Amino acid sequence: FTGGQLDRLARKVRDGMGLVMIGGWESFTGPNREYTATVLKDVLPVIMQETDDRVNCPQPCLIEKHREHPILENLPFAETPPGIGGFNRVQAKRDGVVLLSSRRFSVRVAAGEFAFQAAAAADPLLVVGSYGKGRTAAFASDVAPHWVGGLVDWGDGRVCAQGPGAGAIEVGNWYARFFANILRWAGGMI
């Protein structure tokens, strides 16, 4: 995006349009300070890092639910938390609301038994807020390879979709509902 495009986007959000930013390898700060020094630093409900914010998780990283919210309604994050393979490290702003966080685990095997140790602190994963009249959300992981991990298959059923000119994809039904809810919430539909 050009600076002018991001400025127009910020004005539209201030005037009532919703904005959802999804994480990934070149999102938020990334390796090249992708959006750190743009107007998005004011619009988003998170503080982006000054240096590379990418966290790869070679061992389990599970999603933790912190509170009830329309985005999370009827989704079993507390009962069957999905895993992700990485995230962008962000910090919630004072008025940002952390709905989900990512908690890493280290795993060791001793005498054929797995021993899981949770990290002392979790990182914000889904933070919501507002900018002017618009709703904002920051989801600090991918929705597709390579960080999405088990989240893409999260559900008790499958959903298949195909866009014009694209191949069909199949994902977990809770995954599909979760991202639909984020978009519906940001758009003021729930």
Side-chain angles (χ1 to χ4, degrees):
F1 294 100
T2 67
Q5 289 170 324
L6 289 174
D7 289 340
R8 283 192 298 280
L9 177 65
R11 283 193 302 274
K12 288 183 178 284
V13 174
R14 186 191 64 228
D15 293 341
M17 183 178 81
L19 175 67
V20 177
M21 185 157 178
I22 303 292
W25 203 248
E26 294 181 2
S27 189
F28 295 100
T29 302
N32 301 310
R33 293 180 45 101
E34 308 299 334
Y35 295 98
T36 307
T38 71
V39 69
L40 291 183
K41 72 182 180 312
D42 300 322
V43 176
L44 293 171
V46 295
I47 299 167
M48 292 180 264
Q49 304 299 301
E50 289 297 321
T51 59
D52 192 346
D53 63 350
R54 299 170 300 165
V55 178
N56 293 297
C57 302
Q59 292 200 314
C61 183
L62 299 177
I63 297 176
E64 288 183 316
K65 178 180 175 181
H66 290 279
R67 63 183 65 226
E68 297 298 328
H69 189 275
I71 292 173
L72 308 179
E73 192 169 314
N74 296 318
L75 290 169
F77 279 103
E79 297 83 17
T80 56
I84 57 174
F87 57 92
N88 297 93
R89 180 168 279 136
V90 296
Q91 178 184 349
K93 288 182 178 173
R94 184 183 347 222
D95 58 347
V97 178
V98 178
L99 302 182
L100 300 172
S101 64
S102 55
R103 183 168 307 268
R104 292 182 287 162
F105 290 81
S106 59
V107 182
R108 302 285 180 256
V109 179
E113 296 291 323
F114 290 98
F116 290 79
Q117 177 66 44
D123 288 279
L125 185 66
L126 175 59
V127 182
V128 296
S130 62
Y131 180 75
K133 296 178 185 175
R135 292 178 173 181
T136 60
F139 181 74
S141 190
D142 276 347
V143 296
H146 78 281
W147 281 344
V148 72
L151 177 60
V152 76
D153 292 313
W154 187 52
D156 59 1
R158 306 296 295 167
V159 174
C160 188
Q162 184 172 1
I169 61 164
E170 186 179 283
V171 298
N173 61 312
W174 297 334
Y175 165 88
R177 185 181 318 149
F178 172 58
F179 284 104
N181 285 354
I182 291 174
L183 296 175
R184 290 176 61 226
W185 177 83
M189 296 185 280
I190 59 172

